Amino acid sequence: MSTPTNLLFSTTDEWVKVEGDVATIGISDYAQNSLSDIVYVEFKVSVGDTIKKDTTCVGVESVKAAADVNSPVSGTVVEINEALVDSYADINTDPYGSAWMLKVKLSNPSELAGLMDAAAYDKFCENRSH
């Protein structure tokens, strides 16, 4: 499992990359691996929407299961990766790169303190697989 050290992670397997006051959000390598082959992506929010932490913002379906992607932060959606609707397989091949899902302008940056760094997330995932 690959866990970039420049990201923060939630206990529901989303990652966050913060640049200024904008958070880019996606799902972790652990999550995509658990889901297996992704076959469908549906955005449940639009640009301009205000979302709260832990709100479902994307739905993904795989050959094994359907899963909700929750926003690990609160804010305003400023960009959606519409390309994923057609290139959903990128979630399996590049979860931390081209498969980012949304960008959110943070309304409460203090929420970031509740997320895990890469080392803590690796340990969290390790404990779940035993």
Side-chain angles (χ1 to χ4, degrees), residues 27-103:
I27 65 169
S28 71
D29 192 39
Y30 180 91
Q32 72 78 20
N33 194 45
S34 299
L35 285 167
S36 187
D37 295 336
I38 304 292
V39 296
Y40 181 72
V41 174
E42 177 187 11
F43 291 97
K44 300 183 183 280
V45 294
S46 302
V47 170
D49 286 357
T50 300
I51 56 174
K52 296 213 176 306
K53 180 182 186 301
D54 299 327
T55 303
T56 299
C57 50
V58 182
V60 293
E61 291 181 23
S62 73
V63 292
K64 286 169 56 172
D68 289 333
V69 177
N70 300 314
S71 179
V73 295
S74 300
T76 303
V77 178
V78 293
E79 194 174 344
I80 291 176
N81 188 356
E82 298 281 358
L84 279 185
V85 173
D86 296 319
S87 61
Y88 45 79
D90 287 359
I91 296 169
N92 295 118
T93 58
D94 192 15
Y96 299 118
S98 62
W100 64 272
M101 295 182 171
L102 12 133
K103 295 187 180 191

